[in-house]
Amino acid sequence: MLRCGQMMLAQALICRHLGRDWNWEKQKEQPKEYQRILQCFLDRKDCCYSIHQMAQMGVGEGKSIGEWFGPNTVAQVLKKLALFDEWNSLAVYVSMDNTVVIEDIKKMCCVLPLSSATVGESPPDTLNASNQSKGTPAGRPAWKPLLLIVPLRLGINQINPVYVDAFKECFKMPQSLGALGGKPNNAYYFIGFLGDELIFLDPHTTQTFVDTEENGTVDDQTFHCLQSPQRMSILNLDPSVALGFFCKEEKDFDSWCSLVQKEILKENLRMFELVQKHPSHWPPFVPPAKPEVTTTGAEFIDSTEQLEEFDLEEDFEILSV
């Protein structure tokens, strides 16, 4: 599941820097942004989204090193690690109680451009440059690219068939990043469907360790499918899943909301809810912020004391043996 989380996040970063239509071609020289994305996921302790970082951050979610992670746990881990990643400058929102709150997302993603920010509190350079190049008016909030993850439980021991059509509709949305899930003892990254079968990538393949070469590039052969994607019946899916969506601009998020209202909320038994205002009975929403630490990588997570700065969120997955 850690590898599946890496795959979903990597797809979001590809959309962020290279565009959704970009395709990898073997033996072709790739953009420098692509190489930098790969370096985020190297199996080294100092890489921001390495498997080491994800496993260690899971300790703050109550998961010991080597313990089974579910889709919700991985989503929480990605949300916390993203706070230390200034280059990609992602806003990661993980829904609670099957509910996506529009007001909270806009509060988290709308940031002041450089000209309006207080000196010493400016957003990351990549965000400023992006917005200035598009002519963002001074004083008008800019949009921080959004990775939206919706953890769901679509049944008790197996997926409830009433959710199947809505689940498949999510893959059709232009903002879709697929879904994290699997079946008992196997985690998969689902990227689409064909009829009543889901198309997935399987991370259960041992690969040779890859590191940065002398010229600063990464040998990327094993970062891509060496085998064709596989398929499985959607009814064999474990009911614990997490949907992923990427909204680079505010208009992408507004479009996603419209699609959800049209395709998901029309069902009597809704897969999840989309609400405009923050529920009054919930604790106040506070956009996540990077903890005050003096390191730039994830070295901070070596200390369990610093992990206590994060709030633990109850993991709701039911595990099948």
Side-chain angles (χ1 to χ4, degrees):
M1 186 57 71
L2 296 175
R3 291 297 193 196
C4 291
Q6 287 180 320
M7 286 192 273
M8 176 179 281
L9 178 59
Q11 180 62 23
L13 299 186
I14 290 291
C15 294
R16 162 89 167 88
H17 294 287
L18 303 176
R20 188 170 285 271
D21 296 331
W22 179 85
N23 287 309
W24 175 75
E25 294 182 33
K26 191 174 183 180
Q27 304 297 342
K28 181 180 178 182
E29 184 176 354
Q30 305 297 344
K32 62 180 181 180
E33 293 88 353
Y34 168 80
Q35 286 291 333
R36 193 165 177 183
I37 290 171
L38 291 187
Q39 291 171 7
C40 293
F41 297 94
L42 292 176
D43 290 334
R44 293 192 336 211
K45 186 177 178 181
D46 59 345
C47 295
C48 57
Y49 299 117
S50 69
I51 199 165
H52 306 71
Q53 298 285 35
M54 296 182 69
Q56 184 66 58
M57 186 64 85
V59 174
E61 291 296 315
K63 297 289 185 181
S64 301
I65 302 295
E67 191 173 348
W68 193 90
F69 277 53
N72 182 54
T73 308
V74 168
Q76 300 296 341
V77 165
L78 293 179
K79 180 177 73 172
K80 293 173 180 178
L81 287 178
L83 299 175
F84 296 86
D85 177 16
E86 293 188 357
W87 176 60
N88 291 301
S89 187
L90 284 183
V92 181
Y93 178 92
V94 181
S95 66
M96 287 177 51
D97 296 339
N98 294 359
T99 303
V100 176
V101 183
I102 296 174
E103 179 184 45
D104 294 348
I105 289 177
K106 297 221 170 185
K107 183 184 295 185
M108 183 171 63
C109 292
C110 291
V111 296
L112 290 176
L114 181 61
S115 57
S116 301
T118 304
V119 175
E121 298 180 357
S122 59
D125 292 342
T126 51
L127 186 62
N128 294 330
S130 171
N131 292 315
Q132 287 174 356
S133 65
K134 295 177 182 177
T136 302
R140 180 181 175 183
W143 180 263
K144 193 173 185 181
L146 169 68
L147 170 57
L148 169 59
I149 305 178
V150 186
L152 299 170
R153 185 153 194 96
L154 305 179
I156 300 178
N157 295 318
Q158 59 186 22
I159 187 171
N160 190 326
V162 300
Y163 295 119
V164 167
D165 288 341
F167 187 70
K168 292 196 293 186
E169 283 295 331
C170 292
F171 289 100
K172 298 180 183 179
M173 297 178 181
Q175 300 83 1
S176 175
L177 292 175
L180 305 178
K183 57 185 180 180
N185 302 316
N186 285 283
Y188 300 134
Y189 175 35
F190 297 98
I191 58 176
F193 70 92
L194 181 63
D196 288 325
E197 290 185 314
L198 293 173
I199 303 170
F200 66 88
L201 303 180
D202 185 352
H204 300 90
T205 302
T206 303
Q207 306 281 14
T208 302
F209 172 75
V210 176
D211 205 347
T212 308
E213 298 181 355
E214 291 184 3
N215 61 0
T217 63
V218 177
D219 182 359
D220 62 355
Q221 299 301 306
T222 58
F223 282 80
H224 299 273
C225 295
L226 301 180
Q227 300 175 345
S228 299
Q230 303 176 55
R231 300 192 311 209
M232 63 174 272
S233 170
I234 194 170
L235 294 179
N236 291 335
L237 180 68
D238 188 276
S240 182
V241 299
L243 300 171
F245 304 94
F246 177 72
C247 302
K248 185 173 183 179
E249 299 178 4
E250 186 171 9
K251 64 180 181 180
D252 298 325
F253 177 64
D254 293 338
S255 173
W256 179 83
C257 292
S258 298
L259 288 171
V260 168
Q261 291 169 341
K262 180 181 178 182
E263 302 296 342
I264 306 298
L265 303 186
K266 66 180 181 181
E267 305 291 339
N268 291 329
L269 192 57
R270 298 172 177 178
M271 195 164 58
F272 61 88
E273 296 287 346
L274 178 67
V275 299
Q276 184 68 44
K277 296 292 184 181
H278 186 85
S280 58
H281 60 282
W282 284 13
F285 176 76
V286 179
K290 179 179 175 181
E292 293 297 326
V293 293
T294 57
T295 57
T296 55
E299 297 93 336
F300 81 97
I301 59 179
D302 284 342
S303 169
T304 54
E305 293 180 2
Q306 288 166 315
L307 281 171
E308 294 173 359
E309 294 187 39
F310 294 115
D311 294 328
L312 297 183
E313 298 192 33
E314 186 176 353
D315 201 352
F316 57 77
E317 289 116 7
I318 299 176
L319 308 185
S320 300
V321 179

XYZ file of all heavy atoms in Angstrom, residues 98 152-156 158-170 234-235 237 239 241 264 267-272:
254
model
N -16.578 10.427 5.120
C -17.174 10.339 3.776
C -17.731 11.679 3.302
O -18.678 11.714 2.507
C -18.309 9.296 3.735
C -17.793 7.892 3.959
O -16.604 7.677 4.132
N -18.687 6.930 3.947
N -12.904 5.698 1.656
C -14.279 5.208 1.732
C -14.295 3.770 2.223
O -13.317 3.037 2.077
C -14.949 5.264 0.350
C -15.081 6.633 -0.327
C -15.544 6.453 -1.761
C -16.061 7.507 0.442
N -15.444 3.385 2.755
C -15.700 1.970 3.041
C -17.001 1.625 2.351
O -18.065 2.101 2.725
C -15.778 1.697 4.535
C -15.918 0.210 4.750
C -15.391 -0.280 6.081
N -15.290 -1.742 5.997
C -14.203 -2.400 5.697
N -13.093 -1.752 5.476
N -14.210 -3.720 5.623
N -16.908 0.815 1.308
C -18.046 0.547 0.426
C -18.712 -0.792 0.717
O -19.191 -1.472 -0.180
C -17.578 0.584 -1.033
C -16.874 1.876 -1.463
C -16.426 1.794 -2.905
C -17.790 3.079 -1.244
N -18.740 -1.161 1.990
C -19.337 -2.433 2.400
C -18.692 -2.879 3.690
O -17.893 -2.155 4.284
N -19.054 -4.081 4.134
C -18.479 -4.596 5.380
C -17.338 -5.557 5.075
O -16.170 -5.246 5.292
C -19.566 -5.281 6.237
C -20.664 -4.254 6.586
C -18.945 -5.856 7.518
C -21.812 -4.815 7.374
N -17.236 -7.196 1.912
C -17.042 -7.095 0.464
C -17.786 -5.878 -0.048
O -18.653 -5.336 0.653
C -17.536 -8.364 -0.232
C -19.003 -8.672 -0.004
C -19.403 -10.021 -0.589
O -18.563 -10.890 -0.806
N -20.685 -10.199 -0.846
N -17.445 -5.428 -1.245
C -18.050 -4.219 -1.779
C -19.544 -4.429 -2.018
O -19.965 -5.475 -2.511
C -17.338 -3.772 -3.076
C -17.866 -2.416 -3.549
C -17.435 -4.828 -4.155
C -17.076 -1.815 -4.701
N -20.328 -3.443 -1.626
C -21.775 -3.478 -1.861
C -22.033 -3.123 -3.325
O -21.610 -2.062 -3.800
C -22.467 -2.477 -0.938
C -23.977 -2.617 -0.949
O -24.569 -2.944 -1.975
N -24.609 -2.361 0.189
N -22.727 -3.978 -4.077
C -22.948 -3.724 -5.510
C -23.620 -2.392 -5.823
O -23.475 -1.876 -6.928
C -23.832 -4.905 -5.946
C -23.526 -5.999 -4.967
C -23.276 -5.293 -3.661
N -24.325 -1.803 -4.852
C -25.014 -0.540 -5.129
C -24.030 0.589 -5.388
O -24.397 1.616 -5.969
C -25.973 -0.146 -3.970
C -27.022 -1.213 -3.751
C -25.202 0.110 -2.684
N -22.765 0.429 -4.979
C -21.765 1.477 -5.167
C -20.984 1.328 -6.474
O -20.204 2.214 -6.830
C -20.758 1.466 -4.011
C -21.347 1.819 -2.664
C -21.314 0.901 -1.609
C -21.931 3.065 -2.437
C -21.838 1.223 -0.367
C -22.462 3.393 -1.193
C -22.415 2.466 -0.164
O -22.943 2.778 1.059
N -21.157 0.246 -7.177
C -20.312 -0.064 -8.330
C -20.387 1.013 -9.409
O -19.356 1.491 -9.900
C -20.678 -1.443 -8.913
C -20.028 -1.630 -10.284
C -20.223 -2.547 -7.967
N -21.589 1.411 -9.796
C -21.718 2.390 -10.880
C -21.088 3.731 -10.505
O -20.393 4.348 -11.326
C -23.198 2.590 -11.235
C -23.779 1.388 -11.973
O -22.981 0.587 -12.507
O -25.015 1.241 -12.003
N -21.330 4.188 -9.277
C -20.743 5.461 -8.839
C -19.221 5.361 -8.769
O -18.503 6.302 -9.122
C -21.314 5.864 -7.483
N -18.721 4.218 -8.328
C -17.272 4.011 -8.245
C -16.640 4.111 -9.632
O -15.606 4.768 -9.816
C -16.991 2.647 -7.612
C -15.547 2.378 -7.325
C -14.878 3.061 -6.313
C -14.844 1.436 -8.050
C -13.540 2.818 -6.034
C -13.499 1.173 -7.781
C -12.853 1.865 -6.774
N -17.270 3.509 -10.613
C -16.746 3.553 -11.977
C -16.836 4.968 -12.549
O -15.961 5.371 -13.328
C -17.508 2.561 -12.864
C -17.235 1.108 -12.507
C -17.659 0.137 -13.603
C -19.135 0.084 -13.808
N -19.521 -0.983 -14.777
N -17.861 5.725 -12.176
C -17.985 7.101 -12.667
C -16.793 7.951 -12.257
O -16.378 8.854 -12.981
C -19.274 7.742 -12.143
C -20.548 7.304 -12.846
C -20.585 7.727 -14.310
O -19.975 8.764 -14.653
O -21.218 7.019 -15.106
N -16.226 7.659 -11.096
C -15.089 8.458 -10.607
C -13.882 8.340 -11.530
O -13.118 9.294 -11.685
C -14.726 8.039 -9.185
S -15.979 8.469 -7.952
N -14.663 -6.206 -10.263
C -14.872 -5.141 -9.287
C -15.516 -5.666 -8.014
O -15.326 -5.114 -6.933
C -15.726 -4.009 -9.926
C -15.662 -2.746 -9.062
C -17.165 -4.451 -10.116
C -16.274 -1.528 -9.732
N -16.258 -6.771 -8.112
C -16.918 -7.346 -6.936
C -15.928 -8.052 -6.017
O -16.275 -8.403 -4.885
C -18.032 -8.301 -7.359
C -19.215 -7.640 -8.081
C -20.254 -8.677 -8.479
C -19.861 -6.555 -7.209
N -13.212 -6.561 -5.069
C -12.496 -5.454 -4.433
C -12.771 -5.414 -2.937
O -13.915 -5.551 -2.495
C -12.946 -4.135 -5.063
C -12.322 -2.846 -4.534
C -10.846 -2.779 -4.900
C -13.071 -1.629 -5.096
N -13.629 -3.650 0.373
C -14.457 -2.439 0.486
C -13.737 -1.205 0.989
O -14.253 -0.093 0.871
C -15.567 -2.857 1.459
C -15.003 -4.006 2.222
C -14.082 -4.723 1.284
N -11.274 1.564 0.393
C -10.594 2.167 -0.747
C -10.349 3.652 -0.471
O -10.872 4.215 0.488
C -11.422 2.024 -2.050
C -11.643 0.557 -2.388
C -12.749 2.758 -1.939
N -22.616 11.486 -8.731
C -22.496 10.750 -7.469
C -23.660 11.032 -6.529
O -24.235 10.110 -5.937
C -21.163 11.090 -6.750
C -19.974 10.865 -7.687
C -21.013 10.263 -5.479
C -19.797 9.452 -8.168
N -27.469 9.396 -6.553
C -27.811 8.084 -6.024
C -28.506 8.210 -4.671
O -28.204 9.098 -3.877
C -26.538 7.233 -5.863
C -25.704 7.101 -7.123
C -26.384 6.258 -8.183
O -27.273 5.462 -7.824
O -26.032 6.401 -9.368
N -29.435 7.278 -4.414
C -30.110 7.262 -3.113
C -29.139 6.876 -2.001
O -29.160 7.448 -0.920
C -31.293 6.286 -3.143
C -32.431 6.770 -4.031
O -32.631 7.976 -4.161
N -33.146 5.850 -4.658
N -28.301 5.881 -2.289
C -27.285 5.474 -1.327
C -25.962 6.034 -1.827
O -25.260 5.419 -2.627
C -27.227 3.948 -1.226
C -26.412 3.368 -0.074
C -26.932 3.881 1.269
C -26.437 1.847 -0.104
N -25.610 7.222 -1.373
C -24.466 7.952 -1.915
C -23.152 7.362 -1.426
O -23.013 6.965 -0.278
C -24.550 9.414 -1.519
C -25.793 10.115 -2.084
C -25.931 11.505 -1.518
N -27.063 12.213 -2.098
C -27.431 13.430 -1.747
N -26.742 14.078 -0.810
N -28.465 14.014 -2.309
N -22.171 7.374 -2.340
C -20.851 6.857 -1.996
C -20.142 7.803 -1.023
O -19.430 7.368 -0.125
C -20.041 6.668 -3.275
C -18.822 5.822 -3.110
S -18.146 5.235 -4.682
C -17.829 6.776 -5.535
N -20.292 9.106 -1.229
C -19.790 10.104 -0.290
C -20.599 11.383 -0.474
O -21.397 11.504 -1.401
C -18.283 10.367 -0.472
C -17.888 10.906 -1.824
C -17.886 12.269 -2.081
C -17.481 10.051 -2.847
C -17.505 12.786 -3.320
C -17.100 10.542 -4.082
C -17.111 11.906 -4.325
